Amino acid sequence: MPPEPRAITFRNAEGRQLFGTLHAPAVRRPDLPAIVLFSPGAKMRVGPGRLYIPLTEVLTDLGYIVLRFDVFGLGDSEGELEESLLVDVYSNIQVGRYVADGIAALTWLKREEGISRYIVGGLCGGALTGLLVAERELGIEAILSFGMPVTLDSDSAIPSKYLTRHDLAQLRRGYLAKLFNPEAWLRLLT
């Protein structure tokens, strides 16, 4: 019989406290990565219709450790959403609103549980968040994707608002390289 799920808390890059639930299998298999399920859109860590509960049970029965958590502004976690329209919330999720929270969850797993291999994802916005986290974070072996959106819902999203420090450093290096590249200047002037 698997151990009881454990309530956990950790802080994201902005210092907001995030709440989650860590599920361990009856027999821990160190050969398997941990699975992190991201909140699907504007839903809490249980998912719509409590979908993540039976999914987590299946995954722990297979030997996986599973972490479900509420991102900032949802469920038990700190923070408030700024948007007044749900379509704008979804649009910001699609451009990376919860990437920093995802990275914070992986950091917590590594620091507290010694886990450095992951499968990330979830349903809808959770799947997209997993994809965006996987683009930025090492140790992700797979993406678990159910119903990932394929187009942006609104043009009101501001992608630059959710850039991580790594993204900003990468952009800075790219622009600095272009500053000293004569071909880049030629393209600009012509």
Side-chain angles (χ1 to χ4, degrees):
M1 179 160 194
E4 286 294 313
R6 192 173 88 202
I8 64 154
T9 62
F10 56 95
R11 296 203 178 271
N12 67 9
E14 291 79 36
R16 294 183 181 108
Q17 190 169 23
L18 307 180
F19 288 81
T21 308
L22 187 67
H23 302 263
V27 178
R28 184 170 177 174
R29 291 189 45 196
D31 60 312
L32 294 177
I35 296 178
V36 179
L37 295 174
F38 296 115
S39 296
K43 306 284 187 208
M44 298 183 309
R45 66 183 175 265
V46 296
R50 300 183 56 81
L51 171 72
Y52 281 4
I53 304 301
L55 175 60
T56 297
E57 290 172 1
V58 168
L59 294 170
T60 55
D61 286 348
L62 293 171
Y64 290 95
I65 291 174
V66 179
L67 172 61
R68 300 179 294 108
F69 71 100
D70 291 332
V71 291
F72 85 83
L74 295 179
D76 296 321
S77 291
E78 292 181 347
E80 291 187 26
L81 301 179
E82 301 167 354
E83 298 83 4
S84 57
L85 298 175
L86 190 56
V87 68
D88 294 333
V89 173
Y90 288 135
S91 294
N92 283 318
I93 290 169
Q94 292 174 353
V95 295
R97 161 180 249 146
Y98 294 126
V99 168
D101 289 0
I103 291 171
L106 300 181
T107 300
W108 183 89
L109 278 168
K110 187 170 190 170
R111 183 182 67 242
E112 299 298 323
E113 299 294 320
I115 298 170
S116 59
R117 297 173 46 233
Y118 318 99
I119 295 172
V120 296
L123 172 71
C124 193
L128 193 50
T129 298
L131 180 68
L132 295 172
V133 169
E135 176 187 22
R136 295 167 172 87
E137 195 65 25
L138 296 176
I140 295 176
E141 297 183 1
I143 299 169
L144 184 62
S145 172
F146 303 105
M148 183 185 301
V150 293
T151 60
L152 295 177
D153 291 332
S154 161
D155 61 356
S156 65
I158 305 168
S160 61
K161 185 174 181 179
Y162 303 107
L163 290 174
T164 64
R165 288 186 188 125
H166 171 67
D167 296 332
L168 291 171
Q170 193 172 9
L171 281 171
R172 188 178 311 112
R173 282 191 299 274
Y175 284 122
L176 283 174
K178 288 179 182 179
L179 185 63
F180 299 105
N181 182 340
E183 291 176 9
W185 282 101
L186 183 61
R187 277 193 309 273
L188 175 69
L189 296 175
T190 57

